[in-house]
mmCIF file of all heavy atoms in Angstrom:
data_model
loop_
_atom_site.group_PDB
_atom_site.id
_atom_site.type_symbol
_atom_site.label_atom_id
_atom_site.label_comp_id
_atom_site.label_asym_id
_atom_site.label_seq_id
_atom_site.Cartn_x
_atom_site.Cartn_y
_atom_site.Cartn_z
ATOM 1 N N GLU Z 12 6.649 -1.925 5.894
ATOM 2 C CA GLU Z 12 5.213 -1.823 6.177
ATOM 3 C C GLU Z 12 4.612 -0.738 5.280
ATOM 4 O O GLU Z 12 5.126 0.388 5.238
ATOM 5 C CB GLU Z 12 5.038 -1.473 7.675
ATOM 6 C CG GLU Z 12 3.789 -0.687 8.058
ATOM 7 C CD GLU Z 12 2.497 -1.458 7.879
ATOM 8 O OE1 GLU Z 12 2.488 -2.703 8.043
ATOM 9 O OE2 GLU Z 12 1.488 -0.804 7.531
ATOM 10 N N SER Z 14 0.763 -0.843 4.661
ATOM 11 C CA SER Z 14 -0.605 -1.340 4.515
ATOM 12 C C SER Z 14 -1.663 -0.237 4.437
ATOM 13 O O SER Z 14 -2.768 -0.475 3.952
ATOM 14 C CB SER Z 14 -0.957 -2.265 5.672
ATOM 15 O OG SER Z 14 -0.956 -1.571 6.879
ATOM 16 N N CYS Z 15 -1.333 0.966 4.923
ATOM 17 C CA CYS Z 15 -2.361 2.021 4.921
ATOM 18 C C CYS Z 15 -1.739 3.344 4.495
ATOM 19 O O CYS Z 15 -1.407 3.513 3.321
ATOM 20 C CB CYS Z 15 -3.028 2.086 6.289
ATOM 21 S SG CYS Z 15 -4.471 3.165 6.267
ATOM 22 N N GLU Z 17 1.025 4.920 6.076
ATOM 23 C CA GLU Z 17 2.400 5.133 6.501
ATOM 24 C C GLU Z 17 3.325 4.208 5.715
ATOM 25 O O GLU Z 17 3.059 3.018 5.607
ATOM 26 C CB GLU Z 17 2.559 4.819 8.001
ATOM 27 C CG GLU Z 17 2.478 6.034 8.883
ATOM 28 C CD GLU Z 17 1.124 6.206 9.553
ATOM 29 O OE1 GLU Z 17 0.466 5.173 9.754
ATOM 30 O OE2 GLU Z 17 0.720 7.355 9.814
ATOM 31 N N PRO Z 87 -3.698 -7.593 6.994
ATOM 32 C CA PRO Z 87 -4.749 -6.916 6.240
ATOM 33 C C PRO Z 87 -4.366 -5.464 5.926
ATOM 34 O O PRO Z 87 -3.462 -4.919 6.549
ATOM 35 C CB PRO Z 87 -5.944 -6.956 7.209
ATOM 36 C CG PRO Z 87 -5.316 -6.976 8.580
ATOM 37 C CD PRO Z 87 -4.037 -7.734 8.419
ATOM 38 N N HIS Z 116 -0.164 -7.942 9.517
ATOM 39 C CA HIS Z 116 -0.067 -6.609 10.118
ATOM 40 C C HIS Z 116 -0.506 -6.610 11.596
ATOM 41 O O HIS Z 116 0.090 -5.915 12.424
ATOM 42 C CB HIS Z 116 -0.962 -5.660 9.296
ATOM 43 C CG HIS Z 116 -0.981 -4.258 9.783
ATOM 44 N ND1 HIS Z 116 0.013 -3.350 9.480
ATOM 45 C CD2 HIS Z 116 -1.888 -3.593 10.519
ATOM 46 C CE1 HIS Z 116 -0.277 -2.197 10.023
ATOM 47 N NE2 HIS Z 116 -1.434 -2.300 10.666
ATOM 48 N N MET Z 117 -1.530 -7.378 11.917
ATOM 49 C CA MET Z 117 -2.028 -7.407 13.291
ATOM 50 C C MET Z 117 -1.039 -8.098 14.233
ATOM 51 O O MET Z 117 -0.895 -7.714 15.390
ATOM 52 C CB MET Z 117 -3.406 -8.089 13.360
ATOM 53 C CG MET Z 117 -4.438 -7.499 12.403
ATOM 54 S SD MET Z 117 -4.495 -5.691 12.356
ATOM 55 C CE MET Z 117 -5.299 -5.342 13.877
ATOM 56 N N HIS Z 120 1.294 -5.430 15.150
ATOM 57 C CA HIS Z 120 0.811 -4.556 16.231
ATOM 58 C C HIS Z 120 1.037 -5.210 17.597
ATOM 59 O O HIS Z 120 1.444 -4.567 18.551
ATOM 60 C CB HIS Z 120 -0.656 -4.228 16.032
ATOM 61 C CG HIS Z 120 -0.880 -3.039 15.144
ATOM 62 N ND1 HIS Z 120 -0.295 -1.809 15.385
ATOM 63 C CD2 HIS Z 120 -1.623 -2.882 14.016
ATOM 64 C CE1 HIS Z 120 -0.674 -0.944 14.444
ATOM 65 N NE2 HIS Z 120 -1.475 -1.566 13.593
ATOM 66 N N VAL Z 139 -6.714 -2.443 19.014
ATOM 67 C CA VAL Z 139 -7.692 -1.407 18.641
ATOM 68 C C VAL Z 139 -7.059 -0.417 17.692
ATOM 69 O O VAL Z 139 -6.095 0.268 18.019
ATOM 70 C CB VAL Z 139 -8.259 -0.649 19.872
ATOM 71 C CG1 VAL Z 139 -9.625 -1.135 20.236
ATOM 72 C CG2 VAL Z 139 -7.305 -0.717 21.046
ATOM 73 N N SER Z 140 -7.658 -0.348 16.484
ATOM 74 C CA SER Z 140 -7.112 0.571 15.490
ATOM 75 C C SER Z 140 -8.245 1.074 14.617
ATOM 76 O O SER Z 140 -9.419 0.782 14.855
ATOM 77 C CB SER Z 140 -6.076 -0.172 14.634
ATOM 78 O OG SER Z 140 -6.733 -1.090 13.791
ATOM 79 N N GLY Z 141 -7.875 1.803 13.562
ATOM 80 C CA GLY Z 141 -8.876 2.313 12.633
ATOM 81 C C GLY Z 141 -9.636 1.205 11.930
ATOM 82 O O GLY Z 141 -10.776 1.385 11.527
ATOM 83 N N GLY Z 142 -9.006 0.064 11.759
ATOM 84 C CA GLY Z 142 -9.654 -1.011 11.021
ATOM 85 C C GLY Z 142 -10.062 -2.208 11.869
ATOM 86 O O GLY Z 142 -10.767 -3.084 11.400
ATOM 87 N N HIS Z 143 -9.589 -2.267 13.134
ATOM 88 C CA HIS Z 143 -9.787 -3.503 13.908
ATOM 89 C C HIS Z 143 -10.104 -3.220 15.367
ATOM 90 O O HIS Z 143 -9.607 -2.270 15.932
ATOM 91 C CB HIS Z 143 -8.521 -4.347 13.840
ATOM 92 C CG HIS Z 143 -8.237 -4.825 12.452
ATOM 93 N ND1 HIS Z 143 -8.685 -6.017 11.957
ATOM 94 C CD2 HIS Z 143 -7.598 -4.209 11.428
ATOM 95 C CE1 HIS Z 143 -8.332 -6.123 10.702
ATOM 96 N NE2 HIS Z 143 -7.665 -5.049 10.354
ATOM 97 N N GLY Z 272 -2.159 -1.228 18.637
ATOM 98 C CA GLY Z 272 -2.908 -0.547 17.554
ATOM 99 C C GLY Z 272 -2.987 0.944 17.833
ATOM 100 O O GLY Z 272 -2.719 1.412 18.954
ATOM 101 N N GLY Z 273 -3.383 1.697 16.832
ATOM 102 C CA GLY Z 273 -3.416 3.169 16.927
ATOM 103 C C GLY Z 273 -4.197 3.679 18.117
ATOM 104 O O GLY Z 273 -3.781 4.655 18.760
ATOM 105 N N CYS Z 306 2.749 2.352 18.539
ATOM 106 C CA CYS Z 306 1.331 2.000 18.473
ATOM 107 C C CYS Z 306 0.772 2.186 17.062
ATOM 108 O O CYS Z 306 -0.050 1.411 16.587
ATOM 109 C CB CYS Z 306 0.510 2.868 19.432
ATOM 110 S SG CYS Z 306 0.668 2.359 21.126
ATOM 111 N N GLY Z 307 1.229 3.229 16.386
ATOM 112 C CA GLY Z 307 0.813 3.444 15.007
ATOM 113 C C GLY Z 307 1.532 2.448 14.099
ATOM 114 O O GLY Z 307 2.343 1.633 14.571
ATOM 115 N N ASP Z 308 1.223 2.483 12.799
ATOM 116 C CA ASP Z 308 1.849 1.548 11.886
ATOM 117 C C ASP Z 308 3.333 1.866 11.726
ATOM 118 O O ASP Z 308 3.695 3.037 11.514
ATOM 119 C CB ASP Z 308 1.164 1.612 10.510
ATOM 120 C CG ASP Z 308 -0.275 1.123 10.595
ATOM 121 O OD1 ASP Z 308 -0.637 0.530 11.627
ATOM 122 O OD2 ASP Z 308 -1.021 1.355 9.619
ATOM 123 N N ASN Z 309 4.175 0.868 11.808
ATOM 124 C CA ASN Z 309 5.608 1.075 11.668
ATOM 125 C C ASN Z 309 6.312 -0.217 11.267
ATOM 126 O O ASN Z 309 5.790 -1.318 11.496
ATOM 127 C CB ASN Z 309 6.201 1.644 12.949
ATOM 128 C CG ASN Z 309 6.156 0.636 14.094
ATOM 129 O OD1 ASN Z 309 7.107 -0.109 14.287
ATOM 130 N ND2 ASN Z 309 5.036 0.552 14.813
ATOM 131 N N MET Z 312 7.626 -3.006 14.142
ATOM 132 C CA MET Z 312 6.710 -4.025 14.661
ATOM 133 C C MET Z 312 6.638 -5.212 13.707
ATOM 134 O O MET Z 312 6.487 -6.355 14.126
ATOM 135 C CB MET Z 312 5.318 -3.424 14.914
ATOM 136 C CG MET Z 312 4.519 -3.085 13.662
ATOM 137 S SD MET Z 312 2.942 -2.275 14.080
ATOM 138 C CE MET Z 312 2.018 -2.564 12.535
HETATM 139 ZN ZN1 ZN T 401 -2.281 -0.809 11.852
#
Side-chain angles (χ1 to χ4, degrees):
Chain Z
E12 152 67 32
S14 65
C15 189
E17 263 100 28
H116 180 80
M117 307 315 286
H120 274 305
V139 258
S140 72
H143 296 268
C306 283
D308 294 347
N309 68 91
M312 71 184 200

